[in-house]
Amino acid sequence: MDIVGYIREVTMDQIRDDNTRTYQMKLAVSMKLTGNVYAMFYIGISMGGVLSMQSGDDRAFGVTMKTQLGFHAGVGNQSVASAGVNVAGGKSMNPKHFNSLNGGYHSPNHFLAYFAKSIVHLLVDANSAEFLDVLKLGENFWAGKQSDEFWKELQKGYTHKQLTDYSLSGEAGVNNVASIEAGMAGGAVQKTKYQGIETPESQADKRKGWKNLLANEQEATEANETEREREYFVTVDLFDGLVTLDLTAQEIIFNGNRDNEGEYINISMTMAIPSNNDFVRSLAERGQKIDWIFSGTGTIEDKLNSIPDKIRDAFKDKVPAKTAVNMSASVYVRLEWQHIVQPVNDIKEWFLQYFRVSKGQEIKIGNDYGNASLMKEEEVFEVLGTNTISYISTVYNGIHKEVMAEMTKEEQDIIKGYISDAEKAALEDEKDRQRNAQINNPEEKTTPTKRPTTSDILRNHGNDPAVIKYSGLLRERAASQWENFKIKGNTDLNFLQVAFNPSPQTALGPLEKELYQTHYQEMILNFGKEIRDAVVAYAEKVGDYTKAKWSECKLRELNEEQARLYLGDIRRIVEVLHAKKIPNKKLEWEDVEGSISKFMYGVMAEKPKEMTSNFEQDILTPLFFENKVYENQVYVEKESN
């Protein structure tokens, strides 16, 4: 087995990456030194490193490797009770040849292909290419059929990320009883997109040119841009860590993925549950493949249990004899309520995006001076919030971006051409908006749109052949993944049944499927009802329908341009309302065809089937294309004078 295949087996194969679930894996190493400087006053320093891999709400696969440095000070006896403050910072580690360890990818296989490229780059640059055969990443691999999947992934390009973060917090607690920590954190991510590598056309071309293709530096496709976010948090640990409560208020100020921008509130509760040590045994069995870790004879469990003694022996001259090296494994369940904050009549309100249950497993080894841990967490149960389309739009965009990356070059060129045309039109529309605003209000300063995304090219209800062709092709390819996400209930939730011992007749998988489908339909209908209530209330205030404007009819989740493009002509809507044809269900499509979308027709005629059957085509698909237009542009923050 090649080294990349081994990494896949040990890590990636343990988690299903089919875009129905979120997950994360993290390896962390830390050291901590604390000393009393006067009576009960203590100070200390901590340092460490983290390697994490995760697929979050946007379904992108992210990899981060960073170093951390922190300082802490306080009063009290930390083994009994204490109160103090913590200051910490982190920064991405960027080893010369392994930029792939900090980046954004479409999938784990996409990352592994670039990780393999990094290994080739390293060894070729060090004049040690002969070691590639030892790792089974030499000429026979890259020139053979077995590398076809890697070459396909390398065509996609990737986004390199450099992270800088910080945190400041205060904490107080009673050891082994309870503690509380509160503070703030923030960070910036500098992103650079790199173009993909063209696959050689023939096996002969692969054999001739693979080394140069993989060892050469890739070309950046666009300038750097910086993402920014900040958050405030409170964490409460109870019963010696058996229960942890977290409250986080987060603001993503700027992000290359528009779906992620906004304000969020997350509430979670993490509970430790009894472990049967299956996780420890599975790690031990995998550890047998790394012969130098173990020595001697005995069972797998005996070998694993001997590790603390080996580490203690290795450091017996550096660590006080009384300091034991301990190893522990734990399993936990996390309950999470994720909300988005949106303004309603100029008042900010919370709206539930989802309720999620995740299971986690963690193994730790260390002592008072430092420790190492390996954690794996995976979503197992999720219920959709019904009063916002923000989360479902984020997932829809993530799945369709990945599917678009899997299309042939010819197909991608067609869709990219459409997106490029939409981008150009959006930029021209923004210039016109600025120009008209200056003419109409010469003394009033207008704020430029950071990244304009809307244009008439994206009008989904105008029967534009291009929109129908391109969006239909994309939805067709993504249909399988998208439908699997919506049904959700295709998972094994036995661990929850064991942990909480519900009735044996409880079938949590089908329950999740039923809830998700029901909540998805309810979310669409609530979205439509909110629009209907808004336009009905607005129509009552407007005397002349010809003067109706979307800018005067505020919608919570669509701006005025989106409403115009994806719902329809507000003047026609108000005209129909004045004629008292709705909420009369006898309103026919022919009465409004060409002036409003089919989704909006369902809203006006109060026809749930019309709303649910046209929601994805009329709302989610154009929002996806908007998101791609947004990504195509680069926003560079201007320095303030």
Side-chain angles (χ1 to χ4, degrees):
M1 180 185 296
D2 60 89
I3 185 172
V4 177
Y6 176 74
I7 293 172
R8 177 190 282 120
E9 180 180 340
V10 172
T11 58
M12 312 302 183
D13 286 353
Q14 303 306 298
I15 293 179
R16 182 182 62 196
D17 182 66
D18 60 2
N19 283 326
T20 63
R21 306 283 168 185
T22 59
Y23 60 84
Q24 62 173 318
M25 299 183 69
K26 182 165 66 175
L27 173 65
V29 178
S30 65
M31 295 181 63
K32 183 177 181 180
L33 298 173
T34 304
N36 284 68
V37 294
Y38 181 76
M40 300 292 285
F41 180 70
Y42 64 85
I43 61 172
I45 184 173
S46 61
M47 61 192 74
V50 176
L51 172 62
S52 66
M53 304 177 184
Q54 64 176 2
S55 177
D57 292 348
D58 61 2
R59 269 48 183 181
F61 184 74
V63 180
T64 301
M65 183 172 71
K66 67 176 183 178
T67 56
Q68 295 175 310
L69 178 65
F71 300 92
H72 53 276
V75 294
N77 186 333
Q78 289 186 292
S79 63
V80 181
S82 62
V85 295
N86 305 293
V87 179
K91 188 173 180 62
S92 297
M93 288 192 288
N94 289 288
K96 180 179 178 182
H97 299 289
F98 285 90
N99 281 343
S100 59
L101 289 175
N102 287 290
Y105 303 86
H106 294 291
S107 66
N109 285 336
H110 188 204
F111 160 70
L112 286 173
Y114 274 95
F115 183 71
K117 177 188 180 302
S118 297
I119 294 174
V120 174
H121 193 179
L122 170 68
L123 293 179
V124 170
D125 199 46
N127 295 318
S128 302
E130 64 273 13
F131 287 106
L132 289 172
D133 291 326
V134 177
L135 300 174
K136 297 185 179 180
L137 288 176
E139 181 177 302
N140 290 334
F141 174 81
W142 291 104
K145 286 286 186 182
Q146 66 269 34
S147 67
D148 287 351
E149 178 188 350
F150 277 33
W151 284 112
K152 180 181 177 182
E153 296 295 338
L154 290 171
Q155 288 183 25
K156 299 175 185 177
Y158 79 104
T159 302
H160 174 60
K161 299 183 178 183
Q162 290 181 277
L163 168 70
T164 303
D165 61 21
Y166 66 88
S167 65
L168 173 64
S169 65
E171 62 179 353
V174 178
N175 199 36
N176 297 328
V177 179
S179 66
I180 182 171
E181 181 180 10
M184 65 175 295
V189 178
Q190 190 177 48
K191 295 172 48 177
T192 306
K193 292 184 179 180
Y194 287 92
Q195 65 182 10
I197 299 172
E198 290 296 328
T199 302
E201 294 184 1
S202 66
Q203 298 301 115
D205 289 338
K206 287 181 183 178
R207 190 171 296 278
K208 183 178 179 181
W210 68 272
K211 193 178 294 184
N212 287 335
L213 284 171
L214 297 174
N216 289 342
E217 297 287 349
Q218 284 175 266
E219 182 180 344
T221 59
E222 57 186 52
N224 291 340
E225 61 181 0
T226 303
E227 301 177 342
R228 298 189 182 280
E229 65 178 75
R230 59 172 170 252
E231 65 180 39
Y232 301 90
F233 61 89
V234 177
T235 299
V236 179
D237 274 336
L238 302 172
F239 315 117
D240 194 20
L242 291 177
V243 177
T244 302
L245 307 175
D246 288 286
L247 171 63
T248 303
Q250 181 186 41
E251 181 184 10
I252 300 180
I253 303 165
F254 174 72
N255 192 277
N257 181 351
R258 189 179 63 174
D259 291 334
N260 294 331
E261 292 185 353
E263 297 180 47
Y264 302 91
I265 293 178
N266 183 278
I267 302 170
S268 69
M269 178 170 64
T270 305
M271 299 172 290
I273 60 176
S275 170
N276 60 7
N277 287 324
D278 285 344
F279 183 52
V280 176
R281 279 195 287 271
S282 69
L283 283 177
E285 290 175 2
R286 295 185 181 281
Q288 283 185 312
K289 299 179 181 180
I290 309 176
D291 295 332
W292 55 267
I293 288 182
F294 300 101
S295 61
T297 59
T299 65
I300 294 171
E301 288 81 359
D302 290 339
K303 291 179 179 180
L304 187 64
N305 291 331
S306 72
I307 291 179
D309 293 330
K310 292 178 181 294
I311 293 177
R312 185 165 52 248
D313 291 343
F315 291 93
K316 62 184 178 181
D317 295 329
K318 301 177 180 64
V319 178
K322 65 178 182 180
T323 303
V325 178
N326 300 311
M327 185 175 186
S328 64
S330 62
V331 179
Y332 62 86
V333 176
R334 189 190 314 280
L335 310 180
E336 183 179 5
W337 293 262
Q338 173 75 359
H339 302 79
I340 188 170
V341 180
Q342 296 174 327
V344 178
N345 297 323
D346 297 324
I347 299 175
K348 291 184 177 181
E349 295 187 13
W350 304 6
F351 296 92
L352 180 67
Q353 290 188 305
Y354 55 78
F355 165 69
R356 179 181 295 163
V357 180
S358 302
K359 69 173 180 179
Q361 300 167 317
E362 184 174 29
I363 185 169
K364 289 183 178 181
I365 182 168
N367 55 32
D368 292 341
Y369 292 87
N371 63 71
S373 65
L374 175 64
M375 178 273 286
K376 178 183 77 172
E377 182 177 300
E378 183 178 12
E379 170 202 329
V380 293
F381 186 86
E382 185 178 79
V383 177
L384 188 65
T386 60
N387 288 310
T388 176
I389 66 169
S390 57
Y391 173 59
I392 209 73
S393 179
T394 297
V395 177
Y396 185 90
N397 290 348
I399 288 175
H400 284 71
K401 284 176 187 176
E402 183 173 326
V403 170
M404 183 175 166
E406 296 288 339
M407 287 180 162
T408 66
K409 185 178 184 303
E410 291 73 20
E411 291 168 340
Q412 286 192 50
D413 286 344
I414 292 173
I415 297 180
K416 287 179 179 178
Y418 168 63
I419 293 170
S420 179
D421 289 342
E423 177 191 358
K424 293 174 184 176
L427 293 170
E428 286 300 319
D429 287 355
E430 173 64 12
K431 290 179 182 178
D432 290 341
R433 185 181 77 87
Q434 293 289 319
R435 189 181 302 113
N436 293 334
Q438 190 64 31
I439 293 172
N440 297 330
N441 301 287
E443 296 182 0
E444 183 177 333
K445 290 185 177 181
T446 57
T447 303
T449 303
K450 186 162 57 177
R451 283 183 173 184
T453 58
T454 54
S455 68
D456 278 38
I457 290 180
L458 295 177
R459 186 190 301 273
N460 200 49
H461 60 271
N463 296 321
D464 186 328
V467 178
I468 295 171
K469 178 180 179 180
Y470 304 144
S471 62
L473 177 63
L474 192 61
R475 288 201 306 274
E476 178 184 336
R477 299 289 176 84
S480 176
Q481 284 194 48
W482 178 241
E483 292 303 317
N484 283 339
F485 168 77
K486 288 194 295 183
I487 63 174
K488 275 289 189 179
N490 54 350
T491 188
D492 179 12
L493 300 178
N494 289 337
F495 94 98
L496 281 176
Q497 294 173 320
V498 171
F500 299 109
N501 195 29
S503 166
Q505 286 75 36
T506 302
L508 294 176
L511 171 64
E512 183 189 32
K513 178 178 179 180
E514 180 180 350
L515 284 173
Y516 221 88
Q517 291 177 328
T518 301
H519 284 215
Y520 182 69
Q521 304 288 327
E522 186 179 344
M523 177 205 67
I524 296 171
L525 299 182
N526 286 344
F527 177 65
K529 181 180 183 301
E530 187 171 316
I531 292 171
R532 181 168 61 248
D533 291 345
V535 296
V536 168
Y538 174 67
E540 292 176 352
K541 301 176 183 178
V542 178
D544 184 355
Y545 73 86
T546 63
K547 296 181 179 179
K549 300 177 182 178
W550 275 117
S551 60
E552 298 173 351
C553 179
K554 300 294 184 182
L555 301 179
R556 175 166 59 91
E557 298 205 275
L558 296 176
N559 62 38
E560 61 183 278
E561 279 298 293
Q562 291 170 333
R564 179 178 70 85
L565 294 170
Y566 314 144
L567 300 181
D569 187 343
I570 185 67
R571 295 170 297 182
R572 179 58 178 152
I573 293 171
V574 173
E575 181 184 14
V576 173
L577 283 167
H578 283 175
K580 301 186 182 300
K581 288 191 176 181
I582 70 167
N584 190 333
K585 296 185 180 181
K586 294 182 179 180
L587 179 68
E588 298 294 335
W589 169 242
E590 290 75 15
D591 297 333
V592 291
E593 185 177 4
S595 59
I596 68 172
S597 66
K598 284 191 175 181
F599 174 81
M600 189 62 191
Y601 165 67
V603 170
M604 295 178 69
E606 290 189 323
K607 294 185 176 181
K609 187 175 180 180
E610 289 288 343
M611 283 188 273
T612 56
S613 62
N614 290 289
F615 174 71
E616 291 166 15
Q617 175 178 318
D618 289 357
I619 304 298
L620 293 185
T621 299
L623 288 177
F624 163 75
F625 282 122
E626 261 198 72
N627 195 278
K628 292 299 294 181
V629 169
Y630 186 90
E631 285 185 354
N632 271 13
Q633 303 171 55
V634 176
Y635 172 65
V636 180
E637 293 181 311
K638 294 182 179 180
E639 295 182 1
S640 57
N641 296 325

